[in-house]
Amino acid sequence: MPIQEMRSESLVGRADVRWFHTETVTDATSDPLIIPSVGRDVAVAVTPGTAASLQYTLSNYAAIEEGSATWHDWPAGEVVETNVDSIAGTVSALRLVSTGASTWEVTV
């Protein structure tokens, strides 16, 4: 199974690195997005098309790549309006389940 990784950025003159991901998913489940282990919570904004939900896994990377990871729904459940929330940075990966064209932004 393909996986995605977040893009790292830092500002000139700053030592800290932030990680970002933005994607639109239409009537599908996104490929898993690996979350960097940096000790910060993960902020997620979901703008659903018709509806969308976020799922997270605590499974290891091999299980994620093999497609055998256990996925859990985020506490907000399925959303039909824009929703911003956070999840512990200890999760291994996230994925978006979308009906219609939904966009999600993730930062760590």
Side-chain angles (χ1 to χ4, degrees):
M1 164 176 274
I3 60 169
Q4 303 182 77
E5 295 199 43
M6 298 181 76
R7 173 180 44 82
S8 64
E9 286 185 24
S10 62
L11 294 172
V12 175
R14 301 276 308 260
D16 61 325
V17 175
R18 302 285 305 194
W19 297 82
F20 300 93
H21 178 78
T22 302
E23 177 183 15
T24 299
V25 178
T26 304
D27 294 324
T29 298
S30 71
D31 291 333
L33 175 66
I34 302 299
I35 301 302
S37 180
V38 296
R40 294 187 297 251
D41 285 350
V42 182
V44 183
V46 175
T47 304
T50 303
S53 62
L54 186 72
Q55 295 181 327
Y56 65 92
T57 186
L58 306 176
S59 298
N60 64 42
Y61 299 134
I64 295 168
E65 289 188 52
E66 292 167 1
S68 62
T70 301
W71 293 94
H72 309 278
D73 292 331
W74 71 334
E78 186 176 76
V79 296
V80 295
E81 295 180 357
T82 299
N83 190 299
V84 178
D85 206 344
S86 64
I87 192 163
T90 53
V91 301
S92 306
L94 300 173
R95 68 182 184 181
L96 182 71
V97 180
S98 173
T99 304
S102 302
T103 301
W104 64 323
E105 295 178 281
V106 184
T107 187
V108 178

